[in-house]
Amino acid sequence: MKIKELSPEDRPREKMLEKGAGSLSTAELIAILLRTGTGKSNAVETARKLLNMAGGNLTGLYSLSVEKMCGITGIGQGKAITVAAAIELGRRFGAETSRIEKISVTSPDMIYRMMLPKMKGLGHEECWVVYLNRANYITGCEQASRGGLDATTVDIKIIVRKALEKLASGIILIHNHPSGNPMPGTADINMTGRLKKALETFDISLTDHIIVCDDRYYSFADERATVTGTGK
């Protein structure tokens, strides 16, 4: 059935105008981005096919390439790029609203929640550094490296130099494991020890090293291997 053949209250655009974006399903929101379907499937049905390909969730959709989306009948490069751009805007919005400012860091869970929007759904490893002052307030946050599926190279000298430039009293190292297993490997443990020793030379503390996955994290400071996203 074509969109125009649906009753007005079931058409995504009309429904959004009348009831707001929150009233629409994920498929209906994607249908608005797609605008049209095919001769056999309307935009909502095409959006559902795309969601099914992504495993039924936005995290999976974020991981889909434009080329993969184009495998759905009715989705060309232009529509796929529109969807990818919308997902990226949502990711950036989440990162903006999760910033912790003028708050003393008291737990790894705070850092996990702050960094998850930046790292959720990534298919590669990234390493980030959070800089702290003497009161444990966050004074900066920046990406230190970007790597492949299994590893990312961390330059200890650069991290120490930047910590000195920012007059940091402490730092928190964060990196993700795309595999979904937050447990540190031998390389993670060895690198943490080397970084801690290098920072201590300049009276800078390595407050924590947190390994982030989509639904859990591992904190070297807490040594909790099965911490969930709620920190409980």
Side-chain angles (χ1 to χ4, degrees):
M1 182 180 291
K2 296 181 179 180
I3 291 290
K4 64 182 180 180
E5 295 175 348
L6 297 173
S7 59
E9 62 269 18
D10 291 330
R11 298 173 193 166
R13 292 177 183 274
E14 286 81 353
K15 185 177 178 181
M16 182 171 174
L17 284 173
E18 182 180 352
K19 299 180 181 180
S23 67
L24 273 65
S25 67
T26 301
E28 289 172 328
L29 289 169
I30 295 173
I32 290 178
L33 297 172
L34 297 178
R35 299 181 66 85
T36 60
T38 68
K40 295 182 179 180
S41 301
N42 62 37
V44 176
E45 291 167 339
T46 302
R48 289 188 183 125
K49 292 178 183 178
L50 181 59
L51 267 180
N52 287 337
M53 176 184 282
N57 57 69
L58 292 176
T59 299
L61 188 57
Y62 175 71
S63 301
L64 286 183
S65 65
V66 168
E67 291 75 17
K68 188 74 172 179
M69 287 189 236
C70 289
I72 300 289
T73 302
I75 298 181
Q77 188 178 70
K79 290 181 179 180
I81 288 173
T82 298
V83 172
I87 292 293
E88 176 62 18
L89 282 172
R91 187 193 70 81
R92 295 185 187 187
F93 171 76
E96 281 185 355
T97 55
S98 68
R99 288 181 299 176
I100 301 175
E101 298 177 349
K102 297 182 179 179
I103 297 176
S104 180
V105 176
T106 58
S107 71
D109 189 67
M110 293 174 65
I111 299 299
Y112 168 76
R113 291 177 182 278
M114 183 182 82
M115 298 303 300
L116 186 60
K118 298 179 185 294
M119 294 180 154
K120 186 175 182 180
L122 291 179
H124 60 273
E125 283 200 11
E126 290 185 358
C127 182
W128 289 70
V129 178
V130 169
Y131 301 96
L132 307 171
N133 65 15
R134 292 194 179 278
N136 259 15
Y137 278 38
I138 295 174
T139 59
C141 176
E142 61 185 13
Q143 187 180 99
S145 66
R146 175 188 172 104
L149 178 63
D150 300 319
T152 182
T153 301
V154 176
D155 193 318
I156 291 176
K157 291 181 179 178
I158 290 179
I159 291 178
V160 172
R161 176 172 59 80
K162 289 192 174 183
L164 287 168
E165 290 174 353
K166 294 179 181 295
L167 302 178
S169 294
I171 72 166
I172 297 175
L173 193 71
I174 308 102
H175 84 276
N176 65 308
H177 278 181
S179 67
N181 179 4
M183 290 296 294
T186 301
D188 296 327
I189 295 170
N190 291 338
M191 184 274 295
T192 302
R194 294 197 306 271
L195 178 58
K196 183 176 186 295
K197 184 177 180 179
L199 288 166
E200 286 176 345
T201 302
F202 300 94
D203 197 27
I204 301 172
S205 65
L206 178 59
T207 304
D208 203 350
H209 178 184
I210 298 171
I211 301 174
V212 172
C213 295
D214 284 357
D215 60 349
R216 66 193 66 208
Y217 64 86
Y218 178 92
S219 162
F220 274 75
D222 280 359
E223 297 183 4
R224 292 182 294 177
T226 56
V227 179
T228 65
T230 62
K232 297 180 180 179

